[in-house]
Amino acid sequence: MNLSVKEDLYDVKYHIRPPHGLLNDPNGLTYFKGVYHVFFQWNQKGTTHHNKSWGHVISKNLIDWVYLDPALEPKDWFDKDGCYSGSAIEYNGKLFLFYTGNVSTKSGERKSYQCLATSRDGMHFEKKGPILEHPKGYTSHVRDPKVWQDTNHIWWMILGAQTQDLKGTCILYRSDNLKNWTFVGPLMQSSPSLGYMWECPDMILLENKDIFIFSPQGLSPKGDFYQNIYQTGYFSGMFKKDGTFIKDKNDFTELDRGFEFYAPQSFVDPKGRRIVFGWMGTMKPELEQAVPTISNGWLHHLSLPRKIEWKNNHLYQHPISELHSLRKEKISIGDTLKRKKNLELSSPQNEILLCWNSNHAENFVFHISKEVAIQYSKDRKRFTVERTNWLTHKKETRNVILKNSLWHLQIFMESSSLEIFINKGEEVFSLRYFPQNFPLSIGFETNWNRQNSLDTIIYPL
Ligand code: FRU
C-alpha cells in the first residue's frame, strides 16, 4: 500500500488517516483471527465526498497499523456510487461485512441497497449483493447497517433512516441465520423529533443499561448544545426482546463536546472492552475544503480508540491503556510553567497530563500554540475550548458545564488535532487546529498562589 501523502507539518503520527484522499466514518470494527480490523470510508481518488470505498487497516495492538488493499470498492450495480458505512461480525469462522450500496440513477434519483460481503481470511472479500428489500414508508435515505447478536442468539440489524415526512429515525431487522432478514419496525415507538436523518446507529448492550448511539442531522443549536454541523450522541435505556428501545428520561446527550467528532462505531474486543472510534470529523463544506492538508493530498483522520464505560448515569470515555506504549519519556514540568509564559515543546506529538492532586482546579487559561485556548471557570465548573477557525481566522468556542469540579486533564496532541479528556473521561473535546508557528508551545495563565497543587507532565510521543 502506497502511503503517498507528501511530507506534511500537519501529518498525524498515531491516528489512523487515509493513505491519501479523504477518510470519513470508521466501519466494520472487529477482531478476527488474531488481529484488529478497522475499515473506513475512503475516497481514494480525491479529497471530496465521492467514490467511497472501504479502506482497511489491521493491527495486533490497536497502535501499530498496517494498510491493506481496500476491502470494498464501488464497482457493482448495487454500490456503483459508493460502498457506504456499515459493520462487521465474525460468524462460523467467516467475516461478514454489512454495508450500504449507494446508487444514483440516470434520472438523479438515490437508491440505497443493504449489502453483504464475506471473507475467509479477512483480506479478500466476496460481494454477495443486496440482502434486504427497501422498507416501505421510508425515503431512500436508509443506510449504515450495524449488526449484533443478543444473548438469545438472535441477530439484529439497526439502520439509520428517514420517514416519508422527512424525519430522522432508526429501523430494525432480525435474523436467525444472517441471510434472511425480517423487518421489525422503528426502534422507538415514537421517535423523538431530532432532525431530518439519523446516521450511523449503534446499540451497545451493557450489563444494566443499553446505550443507543446515533448521529442526527438537522438539529438547531441550543445554548451550549448542537453547535456543530451534525451531532453525535446517545440515549440510555433498555433494548427489549421484541426489538424496541425504551429510552430513559435523559435527553439526547452529545458524546463529544468539541468541534470534530462524528459517526462513531463500537465493538467488543477480546479483552471484553467496548471500544469506540469516531471520525474527526465532519465540518461545514467550506471549512473542510480549506483544511491545509488537502494540498498534500489527504483529509481527515479517525479518533483514538476509546474504551467506554457506563457509570453514575453517564457515558465515560477513556483513551485505551495501550496508548501508554507511545510515551517516549516523562517530563515533569513543575515550576517551569510558572516562570515561562511560553514553553516550547520538543515534539509536536505529546500526551499532556494536568492533575490537581489534593484540590480542584482554580480558574485558568491554558494555551496550546496561538490557535487553541482551554479555559476553566471554577465557580460555574465551565470548561471552554476556543480555537482559531482556519478559514475565517475568527475565534470560536465550545463549552460544557462539568458535573464535577475539574481535577484531571489528559490531552492527546498531534500537530493538527487534539483530544482532551476531562476528569478521566467525564467529557471529551475533539478538534482539529492548524498552528502557524513551529515549534509548538504551551502557556498557562492563572493565579499561581491558588493553583499550587497542580502537577503537569508531558510525554513526548
Ligand atoms: C456519515 C455518512 C454515512 C454514510 C457515509 C458515506 O458520515 O454520511 O451515513 O454511509 O457517511 O460516506
Side-chain angles (χ1 to χ4, degrees), residues 188 192-194 210-214 216 219 222 225-226 232-237 245 247-255 257 310 313-315 403:
M188 286 189 266
S193 183
L194 276 178
D210 302 324
I211 312 291
F212 164 44
I213 295 182
F214 61 108
L219 304 191
K222 202 168 130 194
F225 300 104
Y226 317 152
T232 283
Y234 68 89
F235 286 127
S236 60
F245 182 79
K247 78 173 204 58
D248 293 340
K249 289 215 175 75
N250 300 354
D251 284 339
F252 175 71
T253 307
E254 281 172 271
L255 257 186
R257 306 310 307 259
W310 181 255
N313 224 16
H314 188 77
L315 200 69
K403 278 193 173 183

Side-chain angles (χ1 to χ4, degrees), residues 239-407:
F239 180 70
K240 296 196 359 198
K241 280 194 185 121
D242 64 358
T244 53
F245 182 79
I246 309 295
K247 78 173 204 58
D248 293 340
K249 289 215 175 75
N250 300 354
D251 284 339
F252 175 71
T253 307
E254 281 172 271
L255 257 186
D256 190 290
R257 306 310 307 259
F259 298 81
E260 277 95 25
F261 184 85
Y262 193 67
Q265 186 177 105
S266 75
F267 74 113
V268 182
D269 87 338
K271 298 179 181 158
R273 300 176 295 184
R274 178 65 76 157
I275 295 177
V276 156
F277 282 84
W279 165 36
M280 287 176 63
T282 190
M283 43 180 88
K284 290 194 175 134
E286 61 278 16
L287 189 60
E288 180 171 66
Q289 287 311 314
V291 171
T293 64
I294 288 183
S295 58
N296 289 318
W298 71 282
L299 183 56
H300 302 311
H301 62 76
L302 295 184
S303 73
L304 292 173
R306 305 171 181 179
K307 183 183 115 174
I308 61 174
E309 182 193 16
W310 181 255
K311 210 170 61 180
N312 308 330
N313 224 16
H314 188 77
L315 200 69
Y316 283 74
Q317 301 173 65
H318 310 280
I320 55 162
S321 55
E322 286 88 333
L323 289 160
H324 293 334
S325 70
L326 293 171
R327 294 173 176 174
K328 289 196 182 123
E329 59 176 316
K330 177 175 176 178
I331 307 174
S332 295
I333 42 180
D335 279 354
T336 329
L337 275 181
K338 280 192 203 171
R339 285 186 278 108
K340 284 199 164 180
K341 232 173 151 217
N342 265 311
L343 179 67
E344 280 189 0
L345 298 169
S346 57
S347 157
Q349 291 83 35
N350 298 284
E351 181 188 339
I352 303 177
L353 281 181
L354 287 94
C355 184
W356 285 264
N357 288 312
S358 47
N359 262 311
H360 293 124
E362 295 290 330
N363 297 345
F364 66 79
V365 184
F366 180 34
H367 299 274
I368 298 183
S369 74
K370 287 211 173 66
E371 284 72 12
V372 176
I374 297 171
Q375 295 166 29
Y376 180 62
S377 159
K378 76 164 191 177
D379 289 343
R380 295 187 55 209
K381 300 197 208 106
R382 190 173 173 81
F383 190 95
T384 302
V385 177
E386 180 191 84
R387 78 160 175 206
T388 307
N389 179 301
W390 54 91
L391 175 64
T392 62
H393 305 291
K394 292 197 177 126
K395 309 266 187 217
E396 48 189 7
T397 57
R398 295 291 181 269
N399 301 285
V400 73
I401 305 289
L402 299 177
K403 278 193 173 183
N404 301 297
S405 295
L406 179 66
W407 63 277

Side-chain angles (χ1 to χ4, degrees), residues 146-152 154-159 170-175 184-188 202-212 235-248:
K146 175 81 202 272
V147 174
W148 75 94
Q149 193 178 35
D150 72 12
T151 45
N152 300 317
I154 297 168
W155 297 100
W156 298 96
M157 179 193 288
I158 191 169
L159 285 154
C170 276
I171 54 173
L172 218 73
Y173 286 77
R174 57 175 285 169
S175 169
V184 178
L187 176 73
M188 286 189 266
D202 197 353
M203 182 64 71
I204 298 182
L205 308 180
L206 300 172
E207 247 164 56
N208 300 314
K209 192 56 76 186
D210 302 324
I211 312 291
F212 164 44
F235 286 127
S236 60
M238 193 168 61
F239 180 70
K240 296 196 359 198
K241 280 194 185 121
D242 64 358
T244 53
F245 182 79
I246 309 295
K247 78 173 204 58
D248 293 340

Side-chain angles (χ1 to χ4, degrees), residues 24-25 41 52 84-85 143-144 199-200 262-263 279:
N24 55 299
D25 314 351
Q41 287 288 286
K52 298 291 172 71
Y84 274 13
S85 286
R143 57 178 170 267
D144 310 336
E199 297 189 306
C200 299
Y262 193 67
W279 165 36

Side-chain angles (χ1 to χ4, degrees), residues 40 63 72 120 140 156 208 226 357 389 446:
F40 52 86
I63 301 288
L72 303 171
R120 289 199 176 278
S140 54
W156 298 96
N208 300 314
Y226 317 152
N357 288 312
N389 179 301
T446 189

